[in-house]
Amino acid sequence: MIIKLKYRPEKKDFDAFVAGLEKEGLAVHEIDGERFTVLGLTGDTSKLDADRIRALDFVSGVKRIQEPYKEASRSFHPSDTVIDISGKGIGAGNFRVIAGPCSVESEEQLCGIAKAVKASGADFLRGGAFKPRTSPYSFQGLRKEGLRILLEAKKLTGLPVVTEAMDISQLELFDDIDVIQVGARNMQNFELLKELGKLRKPILLKRGLSSTLQELLMSAEYIMAGGNDRIILCERGIRTFETTTKNTLGLASVPLLKKMTHLPVIVDPSHATGNAALVKPMSMAATAAGADGLMIEVHNDPANALCDGPQALDPAAFDDTLKAVKQILPFAYRD
Amino acid sequence: MIIKLKYRPEKKDFDAFVAGLEKEGLAVHEIDGERFTVLGLTGDTSKLDADRIRALDFVSGVKRIQEPYKEASRSFHPSDTVIDISGKGIGAGNFRVIAGPCSVESEEQLCGIAKAVKASGADFLRGGAFKPRTSPYSFQGLRKEGLRILLEAKKLTGLPVVTEAMDISQLELFDDIDVIQVGARNMQNFELLKELGKLRKPILLKRGLSSTLQELLMSAEYIMAGGNDRIILCERGIRTFETTTKNTLGLASVPLLKKMTHLPVIVDPSHATGNAALVKPMSMAATAAGADGLMIEVHNDPANALCDGPQALDPAAFDDTLKAVKQILPFAYRD
Amino acid sequence: MIIKLKYRPEKKDFDAFVAGLEKEGLAVHEIDGERFTVLGLTGDTSKLDADRIRALDFVSGVKRIQEPYKEASRSFHPSDTVIDISGKGIGAGNFRVIAGPCSVESEEQLCGIAKAVKASGADFLRGGAFKPRTSPYSFQGLRKEGLRILLEAKKLTGLPVVTEAMDISQLELFDDIDVIQVGARNMQNFELLKELGKLRKPILLKRGLSSTLQELLMSAEYIMAGGNDRIILCERGIRTFETTTKNTLGLASVPLLKKMTHLPVIVDPSHATGNAALVKPMSMAATAAGADGLMIEVHNDPANALCDGPQALDPAAFDDTLKAVKQILPFAYRD
Amino acid sequence: MIIKLKYRPEKKDFDAFVAGLEKEGLAVHEIDGERFTVLGLTGDTSKLDADRIRALDFVSGVKRIQEPYKEASRSFHPSDTVIDISGKGIGAGNFRVIAGPCSVESEEQLCGIAKAVKASGADFLRGGAFKPRTSPYSFQGLRKEGLRILLEAKKLTGLPVVTEAMDISQLELFDDIDVIQVGARNMQNFELLKELGKLRKPILLKRGLSSTLQELLMSAEYIMAGGNDRIILCERGIRTFETTTKNTLGLASVPLLKKMTHLPVIVDPSHATGNAALVKPMSMAATAAGADGLMIEVHNDPANALCDGPQALDPAAFDDTLKAVKQILPFAYRD
């Protein structure tokens, strides 16, 4: 950590400051310039609170050299993590596809879609039971009944299921769910993250609409600090000034995240674009960029979907997309 | 609502579509151009789900003319709402100042600050008991004990207290709290919003980091749809490419929100800038722009604050800021 | 075009307004709702100035249904345009690679790089003679001498050359240059665009840092309105809150632009990421997404480059990247 | 400047690197941590090219401690600069208002507006002769004739005139113009900036749509490096995800810029909001925040303006706005 001083404090204050840092096991190195003084800290600063130093009157700026996360960091865990989900691994070259509707609408709907996506080669089934919707007047999901239907579809097809929990109070219903999803709007719902840290179940953590990659890893760190290290990160686009697409899918985050962390990274081209016509090319691009998997919305009848119809593929388009993805896969980027 | 068609569907499909809309009490008007057809809907479309129409194969775009919120809308409630908080009103010219530390750290700390801000003219006391922190290794708040201390400080000074709830499970502890704050990261925690809708207590709803004004009002609508209409909106800056300040405080949102809604709108210059040196000028600017109040972080010893020290004013700087604000107030913008 | 009225103006004013629109060959359709009136215009509105209508006192909003560009629009020119550059086509499945250093530094440097990139399969040579630099104290390019060196390298290798013009006054020096580049910071230098419209030379038009896709096409329209329709569009990332990469490369713009326009679309992964380590995966992803080509910075000695060294590949890394791109190419997305 | 090393290079390479830095008059200090090495440079690094260091194989990051601009920097010129414009100063407490139409449309129009804004208390007259328009089909300005009309209006009213130059080739027409404006889209038109550096005339430099404050100051530095230090900076909002207003006017940039630089800073609430109804509150807020002046668009007949009508005030609204601004001014923020 590098600390730039605004001015040189009184000797006694300065000594107390240095002593405090040294007590935390850090060594303090001093550089005196003509116009400023800089301190360099060496040792493990990952748990040091930069803001508390930044607040000191004589400090004009603080710059981290080490990352503020440790469990999620590639520097502390050099090799790729593979997450096992009911017998199927994801990460380190194991590429997986999660598919299904935005919302679970009925048993007939979900089972039909589940059979179709399985036939096309999907590995996991997704479907929202609890739905975060911008408007209180939009369909809010079948909730508990939705979870029951997901487990029916799992029984029918053998596909492990992925679905979102929006609140701690719902978690008791998720015992038989294979992967719990944390939605973009909940990426910094820290109370929920802490609870998920107590579980020993895979978590699919989606990047927030305006979260940096570092913040995404800090949220993973929340879960990992609790002891649950089975986390799959999901890039789903960020919010920018460009509104032609729902979000901006900056795929450089895929190779970049994989340098920063050992956790698997997948891409959700459906929410990232909000436009079914862009899901195929973005699935192909994400695969080429080295993603560990994809999460794609598929609906038997997008025009009548209760949620996010404009971005859903029908089963035939999904099948076509997966074929294209599989042609790219053998040539995909690996670091 | 305006619907642009990609192509003209078969008569039977088109008639079914129109019939469906008419069943919801809407009238459908058709405009045929050379290169496209457009439908105009009249009637109350505020609860119509635009996405479900957008998903139709023959629809290329949908544009709302009416807002998708109703309870929060100025068009349905033309006059300003005044929220009464333990006897003090906010809104419609009643300007209020909320002040206090980012986190409650101890009884001594909070009571000292409470007395100081009261002496300077603050109307309400703030202080975080449950703290949303980016890092799991940062101070997470005194939690239940923090609420107890807030109530002590209230007893001592008579200042009503404002503090944040991060999760439904915490709400049972908030019975004696005067105003429950929803933080920026929870603005779209819809389960929490629904629970708050069941209460009859004032809610301070902060704008999300990357939320549009419309989304902020949709979140207010969630609470209001549940029957709780005592909502104070809080602008606290948005995330942009400019990183010299923590956030970008676009104050045009103040007069704009006040056109869109009848609810009071306050500004938090501390989180908006993340820089104590900018809190005074931004407090003055927000007041000039017509805000109904301010929320300002004050700490007795910013350099040793357990949270967000760089943006906290000390009591003397707060006093100086409030004096400056009060000079502007009589000349502030009123629509 | 859809016009929403704030209120119904006096009959005489309204009739004059309608008559004005009809004089421009448009038909005006009226929809009266309970709470508002909407007008729908049909006919060719592409040259109508929406702002002038938006300024009317009785108008509350204007929404275009047709695009405000015509020459660049796919709806008016359904089939892909292929641009011929000294005998090599680009567009409609003709995939081309432009490579070379950020800046021309010396004849030896450029000729060395030119031979290397040709050997790896590049189609065109790039190199900056006039350099837009954020700081006046950074290297500003060899200017006229740089152009001379580019033409030497062309003579040596047969590679057509692409280089940037920053100002109208420089254009007289570009007679023998094959493709004139308009940099991101000049995308809305309208005087320059107009001059380029008078030429009959291919133009490589880079997207501005904060330009929408529509604005990019409006800038192409400036050149095309002057009679020069040989334009290659270049996506190079946009500026967002995420600063881990220099820019955010939202590749959905590639398939999207190709729906909006018939012009070829290439991608510059070097400026888009600012990070040599990300150029290979992003080149592969852009290819998979259906780009018509790539523009990649290559330097013989990135560590000593006079400009943008951190994003340049050395010849071996470029060769490796191109091999990977060529494996993806046969399976790339085509609409 | 702080340089973080990826790894420790061979002794000979490292020594050569250090020797190179020392030759530029810098001292190199070394900090060795367990997991990394950091170098601290002291001396004048303002003209050092950080990118060239960042490109070195063994360097993983570079962080500036000093600003990369010098002429524009407050640290090198502690007291406020006052720019004299035909006898009226701006800066250091001299607050000035520039007003006039977006475009010069006719002598009658401009002279009428000039007389009106003068009567209300404007100090300078603005009006566009050369107009940057997104669409080639929009009105492009009266150009040379527009300049002539501006000088007529100046003769009539005595108001010095401010108008935009879009290209070097136009500058020869600007001899009698009092202040040359550089528009947001030309903030990084570096060839134009260099030419303006050769003049001895005040320059009004507008912030680019997606420019950081540091980039704005680097552009000022371009002009100042040429010897022209008469620069007025203009905040006019930035582009963000929020589209309810044309741009986002983050007024914290006003006090912040005034800490970074000694140059005067004014605000353009018209372009910043794109909405006449927001110009008054934002003018008041900008004044409260400590701006050195305002630039406001005024049109005698906004509804028929040839350009940007939706954001123009009519003379009565301008008069009302200025009255409100003058009430705030005595209480405005001063650092």
Side-chain angles (χ1 to χ4, degrees), chain A residues 96-111:
Chain A
R96 299 292 174 187
V97 176
I98 305 168
C102 179
S103 297
V104 178
E105 296 172 17
S106 71
E107 192 165 327
E108 191 194 349
Q109 171 240 24
L110 189 70
C111 290

Side-chain angles (χ1 to χ4, degrees), chain B residues 128-139:
Chain B
F130 296 93
K131 293 301 308 169
R133 304 301 303 275
T134 304
S135 166
Y137 309 124
S138 298
F139 174 60

Side-chain angles (χ1 to χ4, degrees), chain C residues 168-225:
Chain C
I168 294 174
S169 59
Q170 298 160 356
L171 288 180
E172 60 181 21
L173 303 168
F174 279 66
D175 278 356
D176 299 321
I177 298 300
D178 300 275
V179 181
I180 302 179
Q181 176 178 317
V182 177
R185 282 166 186 74
N186 270 326
M187 192 201 87
Q188 293 193 318
N189 183 333
F190 301 116
E191 297 297 307
L192 178 60
L193 298 179
K194 284 184 211 171
E195 281 301 305
L196 296 173
K198 297 178 189 160
L199 305 181
R200 292 297 170 267
K201 197 185 267 301
I203 308 297
L204 178 63
L205 179 64
K206 299 191 89 173
R207 182 181 185 181
L209 273 76
S210 62
S211 300
T212 61
L213 297 182
Q214 180 172 301
E215 286 169 343
L216 173 59
L217 293 176
M218 293 306 289
S219 287
E221 190 84 4
Y222 254 97
I223 303 172
M224 297 175 95

Side-chain angles (χ1 to χ4, degrees), chain A residues 28-42:
Chain A
V28 180
H29 310 261
E30 195 174 335
I31 307 171
D32 289 298
E34 222 173 299
R35 305 176 64 87
F36 57 85
T37 294
V38 161
L39 305 178
L41 306 191
T42 54

Side-chain angles (χ1 to χ4, degrees), chain A:
Chain A
M1 185 176 284
I2 299 295
I3 302 171
K4 187 186 168 192
L5 303 190
K6 216 180 285 172
Y7 58 85
R8 186 76 193 213
E10 307 245 329
K11 189 174 175 332
K12 140 181 97 60
D13 293 344
F14 186 71
D15 290 351
F17 174 60
V18 169
L21 293 166
E22 286 172 350
K23 224 174 60 193
E24 304 202 37
L26 303 168
V28 180
H29 310 261
E30 195 174 335
I31 307 171
D32 289 298
E34 222 173 299
R35 305 176 64 87
F36 57 85
T37 294
V38 161
L39 305 178
L41 306 191
T42 54
D44 179 4
T45 60
S46 64
K47 296 180 183 179
L48 204 63
D49 189 343
D51 265 0
R52 295 187 63 180
I53 295 171
R54 209 171 271 126
L56 293 165
D57 219 48
F58 56 89
V59 168
S60 79
V62 172
K63 171 81 186 163
R64 280 189 179 279
I65 300 294
Q66 267 187 320
E67 311 95 344
Y69 46 90
K70 195 161 183 176
E71 301 300 326
S73 167
R74 171 79 75 179
S75 17
F76 288 88
H77 304 77
S79 57
D80 282 351
T81 286
V82 179
I83 313 256
D84 178 86
I85 302 171
S86 311
K88 299 183 192 176
I90 181 165
N94 298 286
F95 183 91
R96 299 292 174 187
V97 176
I98 305 168
C102 179
S103 297
V104 178
E105 296 172 17
S106 71
E107 192 165 327
E108 191 194 349
Q109 171 240 24
L110 189 70
C111 290
I113 295 172
K115 283 189 279 185
V117 299
K118 187 185 182 188
S120 297
D123 300 291
F124 305 108
L125 177 66
R126 63 149 286 155
F130 296 93
K131 294 300 309 168
R133 304 301 303 276
T134 305
S135 167
Y137 310 123
S138 298
F139 174 60
Q140 306 276 318
L142 294 181
R143 307 178 71 90
K144 195 172 167 181
E145 167 69 2
L147 296 179
R148 190 195 62 75
I149 294 175
L150 278 163
L151 295 174
E152 283 302 317
K154 177 183 176 180
K155 204 183 296 172
L156 181 75
T157 58
L159 293 178
V161 292
V162 181
T163 193
E164 177 168 355
M166 288 170 65
D167 189 80
I168 294 174
S169 59
Q170 299 159 357
L171 289 180
E172 58 181 20
L173 303 168
F174 279 66
D175 277 357
D176 299 322
I177 298 300
D178 300 276
V179 181
I180 302 179
Q181 177 178 317
V182 177
R185 282 165 186 76
N186 271 324
M187 192 200 88
Q188 294 193 319
N189 183 335
F190 301 116
E191 297 295 307
L192 178 60
L193 299 179
K194 284 184 211 170
E195 281 301 305
L196 296 173
K198 296 178 190 162
L199 304 182
R200 292 296 171 269
K201 199 185 263 302
I203 306 297
L204 178 64
L205 180 64
K206 300 190 87 173
R207 181 181 186 181
L209 274 77
S210 64
S211 301
T212 61
L213 297 183
Q214 180 172 302
E215 286 169 342
L216 173 58
L217 293 176
M218 293 306 288
S219 287
E221 189 83 3
Y222 254 97
I223 303 172
M224 297 175 94
N228 183 358
D229 57 5
R230 301 174 67 195
I231 299 170
I232 303 158
L233 302 172
C234 181
E235 168 64 73
R236 44 76 76 212
I238 56 172
R239 185 167 273 188
T240 72
F241 67 83
E242 174 60 83
T243 55
T244 321
T245 44
K246 195 175 184 177
N247 292 290
T248 296
L249 179 56
L251 285 172
S253 56
V254 174
L256 206 49
L257 274 174
K258 291 177 75 69
K259 279 185 197 302
M260 297 164 85
T261 185
H262 52 95
L263 297 170
V265 179
I266 69 168
V267 172
D268 172 349
S270 306
H271 284 88
T273 62
N275 182 341
L278 299 173
V279 170
K280 183 180 171 184
M282 286 305 98
S283 295
M284 296 166 72
T287 303
D292 294 302
L294 296 168
M295 177 148 79
I296 299 179
E297 286 196 5
V298 181
H299 196 281
N300 53 328
D301 180 10
N304 289 306
L306 291 178
C307 162
D308 278 349
Q311 72 197 33
L313 300 185
D314 64 25
F318 174 68
D319 191 72
D320 174 56
T321 296
L322 224 55
K323 283 203 174 73
V325 163
K326 283 179 181 164
Q327 285 184 310
I328 300 277
L329 192 56
F331 307 110
Y333 177 73
R334 298 283 169 247
D335 200 357

